Amino acid sequence: MDAQRALRAALAAIDRGGAGVARSDLLTMRCKTLTTLALTDFLLSGLPAAERRFAQASRVVAELGDDDLGARLAYQRANVHGRAGDLASASDGIEAAVARLSAFTPVERCSVFLSRGMLALETGDPDLALASFHESATIAETNGFLAQAQMSRHNEGFARYLLGDLPGALTTMAEAAEIETDFSNAPPLLDRGRVLLEAGLVSEAVEVLHAGARSVTGVAGDGQDQLRAEFDLELARAEQLHGRRDLAAEAADRARATFARLGATAWAGRASLAGLMAALDQQARHRDAGGARSLGHRTARRADALVRTATSLGDLRLADNARVAAAAALFFAGDLTAAQSRLTARTAPPVSLSDELNVSGVTAAVLAASGEPGKARRLLSRAARRLEAGQRGSASLDVRTARSIHGTWLCSLDLRLALAHGAPAVLATLERWRSATDRLPSLGRPADVELAGLTERLRLTYRRIRAEERPDPELERDAARLQLQIRARDWALSAGAGSASGAPIRIREAREVLADADRDLVWLFAVGDHMWGVGIVRGRATIRQLMPLGRVVELAHRVRADLRVAATQRLGALGPAVWGSLRGDAAELDDALMRPWRLAAAGLVLVTSHEVSALPWALLPSLAGRPLTVARSLTAFARRDAGSTSQPGTGPWNVHVSVGPAVPRAGAEAGAIAATWGDAAVVARPSRARLLVDALATPGVVHVAAHGTHEVQSPLFSSVALHDGPVFAHELQPTGVRADHVVLSACDVGSVSFRPGEEALGLAASVLALGARSVVAAVSPVPDAVAAAAMVAHHRGLVAGRSSDVALAEAIVATDPVAAAFLNLGGRFVP
């Protein structure tokens, strides 16, 4: 408001004229003041007020006949129309400015190309955007304009994201953030939030967007309304991905109301689309309820109106996305012909991976409902390959696992269609989607000094936290800040060091692998409100509907909770009750999930879903004493089993033992394991992080007896504690893991946090994803004495020539039921 008052006062002074000032100079000053005043009027009162100022300025330009002044006016008008969402008018003005760059100073030329790039992003032309931002950055860096250089490079990163180069986007944005300026950090935070959403890092995006929104808090009319509304719009998208539909709808409504008040019609349309998507989510959940047809048609009419608005404004991407929303609403209403017509009316390919997968999902749903399931499944198969391609170029476990959120509902639809075609089709579908993000390990990423330094600081901070008698809040805040910095650096380093993918195994090959190993397969998965399973038993593929999903989740939760109590509490008289409850629930799970298969082979390969992850499977009666491997997929198991170079009796093996502090029996455990393996074994004294990382990067056997921590919120910071501090999952990425068999004799490090798409993160999961053939780890706390006895027995079985799953099954039977918390993960190690 102060700026507006000052500009109005300046305009009044110019209109009064001045002695000795030429009329042409007065008119030039009047035009420049009017164009600047138009921007403040837009920010405070909306587009109509700005247009009145532009009309006045245009009459001045016409009177002067000054082409340079006309180019500057066209540029300012384009900026205002762009912010209001009138992209067609904005494009004309920007190109007029680019055609007459001589009218602008070097710093203004940066702004022209920046604006051109931003407009190209809005109109769905990321190639033009990338070129424009690069030109702006070149001008800025040549002239030492730091603020413009930062903004240009940041936006260049955003254009890379739209072109599908997610690691390049994160890298370029990180480089831009290192340029120190006094420029507001709100716009970069907004863009970073958008990129994190596309990456599937939803929780992280929500944090960034809330931080940005807090930086522009204020009152309506303070000039920050547009930016606040843009943050609300992205939060609406984020909350929808989180599954918090009410919060998504509220954020979308706030954004739409603000954009409408500002006259930003296209932006209001995007907010309306976000609200429509939240409404469609609700319809998807209640599609069988009464009134679904009329609700679907009402939603479709709103989407159709949005198509017309977006088309009139030249926003083709918004128009196409609204058509897809209309098609989805009509699908829920059962009007398949109308839904298909909206999909075929689209004018351009989707810009982002998330948009592309959304189009594929809606189209496949319409095809399937129209009696063309074959076409639908072929389309979904292509979508899975597209999701897999979207992982290329990234060596970050964080990014690779997160992006699968965009394929979750497509996988669910694909499975529903596959159920009608029998076990082979279901197994192929499960493998296809699981393999889309099941990347082969990359060892090509170089070590990074900055990341190593941040990790060492975090390790030291944790040591200080654990040395305190009472938690120090400031140290804990330091640790949280360092985790954020480490993750950001990890994302940036992921570019250019991607990992390869492996083709899913065929059913015939799967049967051969399982037969050679004398193993059956059971793969558990959820569809609708039931747990299902597909098995290969006696070489024959079968499918079964097993148990209501709600009951499975309830029983699994109780088993995990009871096992934790049994392992960590002195039960006394409560012992029989706790163990009775635990065994009863385990028996019910066994009756529903395992016994129907009538397992025949010596052992079992089990692939689980997140509802039944981290269970002590050896407590299920039909699995007691049975060799068991919990694998990520059949392909992942076969790859490890067939790729093994080990043959019985081929030793000696390199055996590394690390021992953490404050574990009373760890020293004796390490000594017994070293004595079991003989001269091949080396116990690291003192055990340090670097030694363990190096040992994991070397073929052989690695044993870690230490306290472990599973970080539920930040699973890549799950760790084992050694003498110089914790070793984190994330720091194994540069060297990868080449160890054949890794034993983590530590509490909880076999636990995982799941992201959508059945993507598991945690220490043991990371060790496997980075290349280990097999891992033994516990999914809950295990008393030191039990862990030591079970793991020593396990190593004795290995030395005797037993495979890792057999050795572990025998060790559990020979010690204590609590030892069932230990699982053999990934594949089999055959010494």
Side-chain angles (χ1 to χ4, degrees):
M1 288 186 178
D2 290 342
Q4 187 184 58
R5 283 194 291 268
L7 287 166
R8 285 175 174 172
L11 187 62
I14 292 168
D15 288 343
R16 288 194 297 270
V21 182
R23 176 172 172 75
S24 61
D25 291 338
L26 286 172
L27 288 174
T28 299
M29 286 188 288
R30 176 176 172 77
C31 182
K32 290 180 178 179
T33 304
L34 284 167
T35 55
T36 306
L37 188 55
L39 176 60
T40 60
D41 283 356
F42 168 72
L43 293 173
L44 295 172
S45 304
L47 185 61
E51 276 297 322
R52 289 192 289 272
R53 299 295 184 187
F54 285 131
Q56 293 175 295
S58 295
R59 288 193 289 271
V60 174
V61 169
E63 182 176 345
L64 286 171
D66 187 333
D67 291 338
D68 283 355
L69 195 60
R72 298 174 69 85
L73 171 60
Y75 172 61
Q76 183 75 313
R77 192 167 186 266
N79 278 332
V80 169
H81 276 267
R83 297 186 73 170
D86 184 357
L87 304 185
S89 297
S91 180
D92 292 341
I94 292 291
E95 293 307 317
V98 171
R100 200 170 183 85
L101 284 175
S102 59
F104 300 90
T105 66
V107 71
E108 289 171 338
R109 290 172 194 168
C110 288
S111 298
V112 168
F113 281 109
L114 270 169
S115 299
R116 188 194 200 198
M118 293 301 296
L119 183 61
L121 291 181
E122 296 297 334
T123 56
D125 191 349
D127 288 301
L128 177 60
L130 188 62
S132 300
F133 293 139
H134 182 75
E135 184 66 28
S136 176
T138 301
I139 296 171
E141 290 164 358
T142 300
N143 291 276
F145 305 146
L146 294 182
Q148 288 78 7
Q150 182 197 54
M151 188 184 303
S152 301
R153 290 300 179 203
H154 174 86
N155 289 340
E156 186 179 339
F158 193 73
R160 291 186 187 280
Y161 135 68
L162 287 179
L163 286 166
D165 181 10
L166 191 60
L170 292 168
T171 299
T172 307
M173 285 184 166
E175 292 170 352
E178 293 175 1
I179 302 174
E180 294 185 7
T181 70
D182 294 329
F183 193 75
S184 168
N185 69 341
L189 286 174
L190 180 61
D191 285 343
R192 188 168 178 81
R194 289 168 174 155
V195 173
L196 291 171
L197 276 182
E198 181 66 17
L201 296 161
V202 180
S203 297
E204 294 77 5
V206 169
E207 290 179 12
V208 167
L209 291 169
H210 276 302
R214 287 192 296 270
S215 72
V216 290
T217 53
V219 296
D222 64 358
Q224 298 292 315
D225 290 352
Q226 173 82 17
L227 197 54
R228 277 195 291 270
E230 288 185 41
F231 275 112
D232 274 334
L233 176 55
E234 296 308 318
L235 281 168
R237 291 180 59 216
E239 296 295 5
Q240 183 190 346
L241 285 172
H242 247 318
R244 298 190 288 234
R245 296 166 187 83
D246 291 343
L247 292 178
E250 291 171 8
D253 284 345
R254 287 196 306 270
R256 184 197 53 74
T258 302
F259 288 136
R261 180 170 54 78
L262 292 175
T265 307
W267 280 103
R270 291 170 200 157
S272 295
L273 179 62
L276 283 174
M277 299 307 291
L280 287 170
D281 265 4
Q282 288 290 82
Q283 286 177 247
R285 291 168 62 86
H286 305 293
R287 59 179 300 190
D288 297 326
R293 186 177 181 85
S294 60
L295 177 60
H297 280 294
R298 286 199 302 273
T299 305
R301 284 194 293 272
R302 290 170 57 197
D304 287 339
L306 185 53
V307 171
R308 292 190 291 273
T309 300
T311 302
S312 68
L313 294 171
D315 193 338
L316 300 183
R317 182 186 181 190
L318 175 59
D320 278 347
N321 286 342
R323 289 185 179 100
V324 176
L330 291 164
F331 165 74
F332 291 131
D335 194 343
L336 302 180
T337 301
Q340 186 63 52
S341 72
R342 301 309 192 276
L343 291 169
T344 55
R346 291 172 46 252
T347 60
V351 174
S352 68
L353 176 64
S354 55
D355 284 349
E356 183 178 343
L357 293 176
N358 189 46
V359 172
S360 296
V362 175
T363 305
V366 172
L367 285 170
S370 301
E372 298 186 89
K375 286 185 178 179
R377 297 199 67 216
R378 286 192 291 274
L379 178 59
L380 291 168
S381 179
R382 289 196 296 272
R385 291 195 297 272
R386 182 65 187 89
L387 179 61
E388 182 271 326
Q391 312 301 310
R392 291 174 187 161
S394 178
S396 166
L397 283 174
D398 221 358
V399 173
R400 279 157 44 189
T401 56
R403 285 205 99 182
S404 59
I405 190 174
H406 298 301
T408 303
W409 78 280
L410 283 82
C411 175
S412 178
L413 173 60
D414 208 359
L415 275 174
R416 288 177 183 272
L417 294 174
L419 287 173
H421 296 275
V426 169
L427 187 57
T429 300
L430 289 166
E431 285 287 350
R432 176 165 58 244
W433 287 98
R434 190 66 64 91
S435 296
T437 50
D438 188 20
R439 316 293 294 165
L440 294 173
S442 167
L443 305 182
R445 193 173 96 178
D448 180 71
V449 173
E450 180 180 342
L451 182 60
L454 289 169
T455 301
E456 285 302 323
R457 285 172 57 193
L458 181 61
R459 203 183 329 275
L460 177 61
T461 301
Y462 272 119
R463 285 180 64 187
R464 292 174 61 191
I465 289 173
R466 287 166 182 163
E468 299 283 340
E469 291 185 9
R470 284 182 289 186
D472 183 337
E474 185 58 37
L475 284 176
E476 291 179 341
R477 284 191 289 270
D478 286 345
R481 282 193 291 269
L482 285 166
Q483 285 192 7
L484 290 175
Q485 292 171 4
I486 287 169
R487 294 188 76 193
R489 186 63 182 168
D490 172 61
W491 300 335
L493 290 171
S494 67
S499 54
S501 60
I505 194 170
R506 297 180 184 275
I507 297 297
R508 178 178 54 79
E509 298 170 314
R511 289 194 182 101
E512 292 173 357
V513 169
L514 292 169
D516 289 344
D518 195 16
R519 299 293 183 267
D520 290 325
L521 167 82
V522 172
W523 189 323
L524 302 174
F525 61 96
V527 172
D529 57 1
H530 269 77
M531 180 65 71
W532 291 70
V534 62
I536 299 180
V537 179
R538 298 182 179 88
R540 184 174 175 221
T542 55
I543 187 168
R544 298 179 186 277
Q545 180 176 304
L546 298 171
M547 192 180 201
L549 193 59
R551 183 59 176 166
V552 172
V553 172
E554 178 187 358
L555 289 170
H557 174 75
R558 282 166 32 182
V559 166
R560 285 189 286 259
D562 283 345
L563 181 65
R564 185 169 290 269
V565 170
T568 58
Q569 306 293 326
R570 296 180 182 276
L571 298 177
L574 293 176
V578 171
W579 276 104
S581 171
L582 180 53
R583 289 194 170 100
D585 291 339
E588 186 175 347
L589 283 173
D590 189 48
D591 289 341
L593 303 183
M594 290 294 121
R595 289 195 182 278
W597 303 102
R598 298 181 181 178
L599 301 174
L604 177 67
V605 178
L606 179 65
V607 184
T608 67
S609 65
H610 71 272
E611 292 89 354
V612 288
S613 69
L615 284 178
W617 292 99
L619 288 180
L620 274 61
S622 61
L623 297 183
R626 183 186 294 272
L628 172 70
T629 297
V630 178
R632 172 167 165 73
S633 67
L634 179 53
T635 298
F637 173 80
R639 189 182 294 149
R640 286 175 167 85
D641 223 59
S644 174
T645 58
S646 60
Q647 297 294 331
T650 59
W653 290 91
N654 293 319
V655 179
H656 171 93
V657 182
S658 280
V659 179
V663 182
R665 296 179 182 270
E669 179 180 341
I673 289 168
T676 298
W677 285 97
D679 294 340
V682 174
V683 179
R685 292 192 176 94
S687 294
R688 301 189 181 278
R690 186 71 259 164
L691 293 174
L692 178 56
V693 172
D694 289 344
L696 288 168
T698 305
V701 177
V702 175
H703 181 96
V704 183
H707 285 301
T709 302
H710 176 65
E711 294 284 351
V712 176
Q713 297 302 319
S714 300
L716 284 176
F717 293 95
S718 298
S719 61
V720 288
L722 299 184
H723 290 93
D724 61 342
V727 180
F728 304 105
H730 84 86
E731 62 184 302
L732 305 177
Q733 293 180 110
T735 56
V737 177
R738 297 182 64 199
D740 297 271
H741 188 54
V742 180
V743 179
L744 299 173
S745 182
C747 295
D748 274 343
V749 292
S751 297
V752 293
S753 293
F754 278 90
R755 284 177 170 157
E758 301 294 344
E759 293 296 334
L761 282 178
L763 183 61
S766 298
V767 169
L768 282 169
L770 290 167
R773 180 167 297 124
S774 69
V775 175
V776 166
V779 295
S780 75
V782 180
D784 291 344
V786 175
M791 293 302 95
V792 170
H794 174 66
H795 280 277
R796 287 174 179 159
L798 295 176
V799 171
R802 295 177 177 84
S803 62
S804 57
D805 57 346
V806 173
L808 181 61
E810 292 177 349
I812 292 170
V813 169
T815 50
D816 187 283
V818 174
F822 284 105
L823 300 177
N824 184 69
L825 305 170
R828 300 181 311 144
F829 167 60
V830 183

